[in-house]
Amino acid sequence: MSESTIAPQHARTPAQPGDLTDQLIASDFWTDQMLAEAGIPIIDVPFVTFGGGIGSFVTVDYLRICGVPTSAMRVLTPLKTPWESYEYLTTVSQIPRGERLRSDSSSCPDNIWGFPSYAIREALQGDLKQAWNVLVEPIFANYYTPRAGHAFESMEKEMHRIRYPEMVVHGQVRMVRRRVGGGYFTILTPPEGATPTKRIAYRSQWVHVAVGYPGLKFLPDLQRYRSEHNDYSKVVNAYERHEHVYERLHQRPGTVLIRGGGIVASRVLQRLIDDRDQRGLQTRIVHLFRTYVDKPHGTGILKRRKGADGWAYQGFNYPKSVWGGQLKQQVRTSEGAERKRLYEEMGGTNTPVRRDWQEQLKRGRAEGWYRVMIGSIEDMRPVGDLVEVRASTPDQGEHVGTFDAVIDCTGLEADIREHRVLADLLDHSGAGRNPVGRLDVQRNFEVTGTANGGKVYASGSATLGGPFPGVDTFFGLQIAAQEIADDLIAQGFARKLGPGRSTSQWWKWVRNVQI
Amino acid sequence: MSASPPPVPLTGTTGAPATVPPFDQVAVRVAPGQDLVVRLPGVLLVVAVTTAAAGPATAPARPALVGWGPAPVPPAPVAAPTGDVHVGELVGLCRRVSAAGSRAPGRRLHEELHGWLLTVTDPPSFAVAAATEDGLALVLVGGGTAEVPDLGLRLTPAEGEKLDNGTLVLDRFVTWPPAALQLSAGAPAGTAPHPLADLEAGAVPGAAAVLSPAPAPTAAGPVPTGTTQLRLPAPHVVTPPLPPPPPRPAAPAPTPRAPEVLAPPAPPHDHAGHGHGDHADHDHGDHAGHDHAAPPAPVPPPPVELPAPKKSTLLFGGTGEPEPPREPLPTPGAAPAAGAPAAEPEDERPQVKGILCKNGHLNDPRAGFCALCGIRTTQQTAVLVEGPRPPLGLLVFDDGATVSLDMDYLLGREPETDERVASGQLRPLLVVDTTGGVSRHHAEIRLEGWDVLLVDTGSANGTLVAPRGAPGWSSLVPGQPVRLTPGMAVRMGGRQFAFESPHGGF
């Protein structure tokens, strides 16, 4: 572990003008004077959103449609496009642009009305099968989901329609602090050399935090294997580039160990078996489950979920009712331990069932090239060109096997404190944690405890555990945007989106008129 | 060490002080004189020499050359280490620090000089300026001075401190002045330096050295690839000096310390021997043209930063070293030659500049997620730090063999016959091809910064590449490096391999 862990060298000397001072870092509240003394220039803009992913995008989209001019909002982001991060993750986890997403399509990030939906748009372009699918799902067909590329392209169109690029400022957000006299300072570190000073402060009345989740957390044994053996190629996580694994299996037959039973595991398996079928490969797959689900499960007769062959099935990563059914209502009115319990009930690893890979796995089981193991990995080490894995099973003791590759499909999300800005919010701005341990937000997605003559809002995965469950989906982001916009409208920042405005704006959307 | 003098003028005059001009890219003009001016990567030294000692010392040191006619009388104020012992030590110290280090050897040099001065009772007068991360480190001893005539600034050791052994020393970290900085070792500068004169590297006689002010920082300035040296447009000096680009751009992106390092070992007697001493002071902005001391292009730069000691390469396996927990290199198919070279301590892995993730792992500045622990890297301010480079990816051959890219490789039918392979600079990678389409030395894989470059070394049948998703193959121009992108396929003869990488974008 030590070799690649380096202490930050030569702590930057404060020679560069406009850097943070110790006094600033230590104070919870800042005055304009303090920033002036530090030489940090201040830019005034009423609404600042940072993160700059899809969360920022849908919020800004909503506000633009509610009549807020581009000059009143700024998006502080290191990303080039709102979907950059998302596209990276879907691509590496085997959903390139041409594949269908595995998440719900109840909403479209490019269209706050949700109409026409992705399926209808596809139908209008001639693919009537998708419209039929939507009609008969989920009984006679699997849930419809849009192609990844479709989602990105339509977002790009909307991005230009609302003149999003005019609002983007590139850089890293370092912290948000409350301002004496009301409002907030958001400290941005622009790319080196882009500005005369090292930092810039945005003084705003509202701040929107949309930094997404802090990142993945690779399992400790994977990290240990990498740092001890300096081998990044044979033990991989499904959320990073691992095309070489497939490439190698193409060149010569091999055995792969898949670990985890979630949505990504299903996608990786499908890729492996697709390759096997299309290229006539002899890939053998061993699938390691930690918990094996062999029958339907759930806490009540109305909350049964299908399960078989190790997988816990569900329409999406949440029960469908979190978006508009009883579960949504139940969570909305719950607090504390009760809410935590509800989250635990609906949470856990589960996988959207899809017929295509169900069929593939069935074939694999019948032909013997897909095998299932229950247990957990104890140790991994490279042996020549292979990896030797020692796994312990609950009932059959220890197993040792060698594999050409290990693909880890477990996606642990890191704690919110791992993100510097979120940690700073917790430490200095009065934010707190919700029952699930993430950022505590109220029903209007205001971060609890941060009010200061203005508000800090948050949306996305960092707020999971709040009154609305599905926050890290497209729909969840849009719900958050809607709640935030409503709250801002009530404070007079944006104009009300009544029936007249909504209709005229929808027609503008349809005709792709820039606003 | 004392505090910096006011950084104010800098902020005022050049609009963007956030960037420091690359030390090695500003022009250095040398005023003629008897002292010694030494320029090394990141370091500029002016040291007083005692002519009496230096002159005779150098002459006998030269071997008699056949066919060169009678030996010319060397004007020879150059400090051969055999001359003044202290001057030799000082130059050697600077050279060591410069060669060892980063682009900004200032702090380290400052410390080493301090240590050295304590051991020397009667040090020569000298003035040295070295690049730091954000300015210059100045050390003045004896009669050494540093002045910025345009701004009326002048520093002498008298303003500094007195060491235990009585030496007056001034050492400071200063911001890069926005006007020409003149260093001298006390000798009065007779004639002003020729405006076109530019010492790029090496040691020449001279009374003073004038360091140009910052080259205008361009938008392209802070390029995150730390180890690629860029040639920025020449500084906006009084002179429009011919920026000496001819050698550099052609040479495929040398690593930072590489280009000039060649000069140091040679210059002392070369200059003296060929009587170029005086010559070097005056004219020629084109000194690159006849700068025999630093033949620019033909020398492959990367080797210099690799572990210097020559060692033989183990053939056939050799994965059993007990010492380093490094990956046993997968032997590519029929390639027997890829044994790991005798154990290298980890520190000697090539250093590269990257960003640290929250948990302290070094990553490609362009990566969005840490390659080791998966945390987002975009949440951190991208401060470039230097550290050992992780493997940059791997080659997957058409027979399923994989090669992890942790150093430079020479691919071919008989790669071990290349002398750079024998000396350990390149690792051989035998590509067996029954069709005979692979040349003996076919192509090179070079790791530069976070990039993996492929260079066809003039193979008979050429090398073809196809990025992922490209409709067809394109062939490489010999000698011209191509950056491998993840998923790129490469063909040589009847063999094919693909490059895959966990780093960088997608």
Side-chain angles (χ1 to χ4, degrees):
Chain A
M1 191 126 302
S2 57
E3 47 169 325
S4 48
T5 308
I6 314 153
Q9 299 161 340
H10 40 250
R12 293 287 240 191
T13 44
Q16 210 175 355
D19 201 355
L20 294 166
T21 61
D22 294 342
Q23 187 204 9
L24 284 173
I25 290 171
S27 324
D28 286 359
F29 286 87
W30 291 355
T31 62
D32 298 356
Q33 179 65 26
M34 285 159 75
L35 284 169
E37 277 165 11
I40 302 177
I42 298 175
I43 296 174
D44 277 311
V45 56
F47 181 85
V48 163
T49 172
F50 64 89
I54 297 177
S56 286
F57 177 73
V58 295
T59 308
V60 166
D61 188 31
Y62 217 104
L63 290 170
R64 288 284 293 126
I65 289 168
C66 291
V68 179
T70 54
S71 59
M73 296 189 283
R74 283 293 171 267
V75 181
L76 314 182
T77 176
L79 304 179
K80 287 189 277 297
T81 59
W83 55 89
E84 184 183 333
S85 254
Y86 186 74
E87 184 173 7
Y88 170 76
L89 289 172
T90 52
T91 306
V92 296
S93 60
Q94 302 307 315
I95 308 184
R97 283 193 168 217
E99 286 289 333
R100 293 196 177 271
L101 295 171
R102 290 274 157 104
S103 58
D104 188 29
S105 62
S106 308
S107 81
C108 319
D110 65 305
N111 179 345
I112 65 167
W113 299 274
F115 178 83
S117 68
Y118 289 123
I120 294 180
R121 283 184 245 169
E122 278 192 54
L124 289 175
Q125 285 165 7
D127 193 352
L128 291 173
K129 197 168 149 233
Q130 301 307 329
W132 174 250
N133 189 19
V134 174
L135 275 181
V136 299
E137 76 181 18
I139 308 295
F140 299 108
N142 294 136
Y143 280 113
Y144 164 84
T145 55
R147 285 184 205 286
H150 189 179
F152 302 141
E153 281 154 25
S154 58
M155 253 189 278
E156 184 168 0
K157 194 166 134 191
E158 178 72 355
M159 176 176 90
H160 292 295
R161 194 181 77 87
I162 63 167
R163 293 191 275 148
Y164 184 82
E166 289 176 22
M167 294 175 271
V168 171
V169 182
H170 288 288
Q172 302 283 345
V173 168
R174 171 72 176 79
M175 56 177 69
V176 178
R177 292 286 169 93
R178 288 168 286 180
R179 171 177 174 268
V180 175
Y184 304 88
F185 289 113
T186 308
I187 293 293
L188 177 79
T189 313
E192 216 171 320
T195 47
T197 55
K198 186 164 179 208
R199 321 266 186 189
I200 295 178
Y202 281 84
R203 182 166 56 191
S204 64
Q205 191 176 353
W206 299 283
V207 176
H208 177 227
V209 183
V211 292
Y213 60 90
L216 299 167
K217 195 173 152 203
F218 292 169
L219 289 180
D221 48 25
L222 184 148
Q223 291 193 38
R224 198 170 54 235
Y225 176 86
R226 291 194 167 180
S227 52
E228 276 177 14
H229 304 293
N230 202 18
D231 174 14
Y232 289 69
S233 63
K234 294 194 279 290
V235 178
V236 298
N237 186 287
Y239 277 110
E240 63 181 344
R241 273 198 72 90
H242 57 281
E243 200 60 29
H244 57 271
V245 173
Y246 307 113
E247 187 68 35
R248 209 171 140 210
L249 290 169
H250 184 208
Q251 309 298 359
R252 72 172 190 214
T255 308
V256 184
L257 180 71
I258 303 274
R259 179 188 198 186
I263 192 166
V264 180
S266 75
R267 189 52 231 173
V268 167
L269 280 171
Q270 194 178 351
R271 164 79 195 261
L272 285 169
I273 301 175
D274 280 350
D275 279 3
R276 192 188 151 91
D277 292 347
Q278 286 162 13
R279 298 163 148 190
L281 309 183
Q282 290 301 315
T283 312
R284 306 182 72 80
I285 302 165
V286 176
H287 193 162
L288 183 69
F289 284 101
R290 199 179 47 187
T291 44
Y292 188 84
V293 182
D294 57 353
K295 54 180 180 294
H297 57 288
T299 52
I301 189 79
L302 293 175
K303 291 181 184 167
R304 295 300 269 181
R305 290 190 293 213
K306 274 206 281 183
D309 306 319
W311 305 85
Y313 297 127
Q314 189 158 277
F316 294 105
N317 52 348
Y318 293 98
K320 196 80 170 156
S321 63
V322 306
W323 286 290
Q326 46 147 354
L327 210 45
K328 180 182 177 188
Q329 195 53 33
Q330 232 175 341
V331 177
R332 196 175 167 86
T333 53
S334 66
E335 285 296 341
E338 165 74 4
R339 198 198 287 168
K340 183 166 186 203
R341 189 184 61 78
L342 286 170
Y343 268 96
E344 276 165 6
E345 271 179 23
M346 69 179 114
T349 307
N350 53 62
T351 312
V353 57
R354 290 286 181 275
R355 285 175 193 172
D356 43 5
W357 59 266
Q358 290 290 303
E359 178 278 321
Q360 290 179 329
L361 292 192
K362 203 168 153 196
R363 194 151 42 85
R365 276 188 287 269
E367 295 173 10
W369 43 261
Y370 171 73
R371 287 183 294 131
V372 170
M373 253 177 87
I374 306 165
S376 53
I377 292 183
E378 295 287 322
D379 184 38
M380 296 183 282
R381 66 189 182 91
V383 179
D385 218 0
L386 305 173
V387 190
E388 184 184 280
V389 177
R390 207 154 50 77
S392 64
T393 59
D395 46 2
Q396 295 173 359
E398 202 174 87
H399 281 271
V400 177
T402 47
F403 301 94
D404 290 75
V406 177
I407 304 180
D408 186 343
C409 302
T410 56
L412 273 182
E413 291 186 20
D415 185 75
I416 57 168
R417 200 166 261 290
E418 301 271 308
H419 197 291
R420 193 159 54 156
V421 178
L422 297 180
D424 196 78
L425 274 176
L426 291 176
D427 293 342
H428 293 283
S429 298
R433 287 174 184 262
N434 64 25
V436 183
R438 310 257 177 123
L439 208 56
D440 193 23
V441 294
Q442 297 173 3
R443 276 183 204 124
N444 58 2
F445 285 88
E446 175 189 347
V447 180
T448 311
T450 55
N452 182 36
K455 289 179 180 179
V456 177
Y457 300 101
S459 55
S461 163
T463 66
L464 186 80
F468 176 74
V471 284
D472 50 356
T473 61
F474 284 170
F475 194 43
L477 293 173
Q478 236 167 6
I479 295 256
Q482 192 175 5
E483 298 277 0
I484 293 167
D486 282 349
D487 201 48
L488 288 168
I489 290 167
Q491 295 170 71
F493 177 58
R495 270 169 278 163
K496 195 166 169 9
L497 192 66
R501 181 174 192 86
S502 185
T503 310
S504 78
Q505 288 290 334
W506 184 79
W507 277 110
K508 284 186 182 166
W509 184 90
V510 170
R511 290 182 288 128
N512 196 22
V513 176
Q514 196 173 62
I515 55 173
Chain B
M1 60 201 78
S2 27
S4 314
V8 200
L10 182 61
T11 340
T13 39
T14 64
T19 52
V20 172
F23 189 93
D24 296 329
Q25 290 165 30
V26 302
V28 168
R29 282 173 286 146
V30 180
Q34 292 302 305
D35 293 342
L36 181 69
V37 175
V38 180
R39 186 175 191 194
L40 302 164
V43 178
L44 179 62
L45 166 74
V46 181
V47 57
V49 289
T50 45
T51 40
T58 37
R62 286 184 313 116
L65 294 175
V66 181
W68 287 90
V73 182
V78 177
T82 51
D84 187 335
V85 180
H86 291 328
V87 173
E89 280 177 10
L90 179 62
V91 174
L93 185 144
C94 290
R95 188 161 286 156
R96 204 173 61 241
V97 173
S98 167
S102 55
R103 276 196 319 168
R107 282 174 200 280
R108 177 149 174 214
L109 182 67
H110 166 95
E111 283 158 22
E112 299 234 344
L113 275 178
H114 229 270
W116 177 72
L117 283 170
L118 287 173
T119 65
V120 179
T121 45
D122 184 23
S125 293
F126 68 90
V128 60
T132 62
E133 289 293 316
D134 43 18
L136 291 173
L138 289 179
V139 180
L140 308 175
V141 170
T145 60
E147 19 182 349
V148 184
D150 295 351
L151 300 181
L153 303 175
R154 181 182 166 88
L155 290 173
T156 60
E159 297 155 46
E161 50 182 313
K162 197 164 200 175
L163 292 185
D164 295 339
N165 54 15
T167 318
L168 270 178
V169 176
L170 174 111
D171 54 30
R172 279 196 183 171
F173 293 107
V174 300
T175 44
W176 196 298
L181 169 73
Q182 178 173 342
L183 295 180
S184 76
T191 39
H194 190 281
L196 287 179
D198 177 11
L199 175 66
E200 203 176 349
V204 295
V210 181
L211 192 64
S212 300
T218 59
V223 177
T225 50
T227 53
T228 341
Q229 181 167 16
L230 291 178
R231 274 282 159 191
L232 294 180
H236 55 82
V237 228
V238 199
T239 60
L242 313 168
R248 225 47 53 90
T255 35
R257 7 199 146 110
E260 288 86 355
V261 183
L262 249 278
H269 31 245
D270 268 6
H271 270 289
H274 299 311
H276 273 185
D278 282 336
H279 198 168
D281 298 345
H282 279 294
D283 48 11
H284 53 64
D286 68 333
H287 83 277
H290 81 140
D291 190 354
H292 47 263
V299 197
V304 187
E305 71 171 312
L306 291 175
K310 299 195 173 189
K311 34 186 125 152
S312 58
T313 310
L314 283 185
L315 301 182
F316 301 102
T319 52
E321 286 90 359
E323 202 182 335
R326 74 209 308 285
E327 181 204 27
L329 191 77
T331 314
E344 284 172 14
E346 276 151 9
D347 309 339
E348 290 186 23
R349 284 193 292 175
Q351 303 283 305
V352 68
K353 284 215 168 162
I355 53 173
L356 294 183
C357 82
K358 198 194 137 286
N359 300 322
H361 307 127
L362 194 71
N363 277 284
D364 188 337
R366 294 162 295 192
F369 296 86
C370 173
L372 187 68
C373 65
I375 200 84
R376 239 176 233 269
T377 54
T378 49
Q379 53 157 312
Q380 296 268 59
T381 315
V383 175
L384 291 179
V385 298
E386 201 162 77
R389 174 164 58 197
L392 291 189
L394 66 162
L395 307 181
V396 184
F397 276 82
D398 47 8
D399 57 358
T402 53
V403 179
S404 179
L405 297 177
D406 50 359
M407 70 174 286
D408 297 359
Y409 278 93
L410 179 66
L411 284 70
R413 184 157 44 88
E414 294 172 13
E416 66 285 349
T417 55
D418 190 279
E419 60 185 33
R420 284 169 303 166
V421 169
S423 70
Q425 289 169 3
L426 295 174
R427 199 180 281 169
L429 181 53
L430 178 61
V431 182
V432 174
D433 178 22
T434 45
T435 67
V438 173
S439 298
R440 293 194 313 133
H441 305 153
H442 197 106
E444 255 179 73
I445 297 266
R446 291 186 202 151
L447 309 187
E448 273 175 17
W450 292 91
D451 289 335
V452 179
L453 305 178
L454 176 71
V455 193
D456 183 296
T457 50
S459 61
N461 296 315
T463 308
L464 299 163
V465 295
R468 190 193 294 289
W473 297 90
S474 51
S475 74
L476 291 189
V477 180
Q480 225 170 69
V482 165
R483 189 169 83 88
L484 292 181
T485 54
M488 197 182 250
V490 180
R491 261 199 102 79
M492 43 180 64
R495 296 294 302 268
Q496 182 172 336
F497 63 86
F499 171 73
E500 297 291 350
S501 163
H503 298 279
F506 55 94

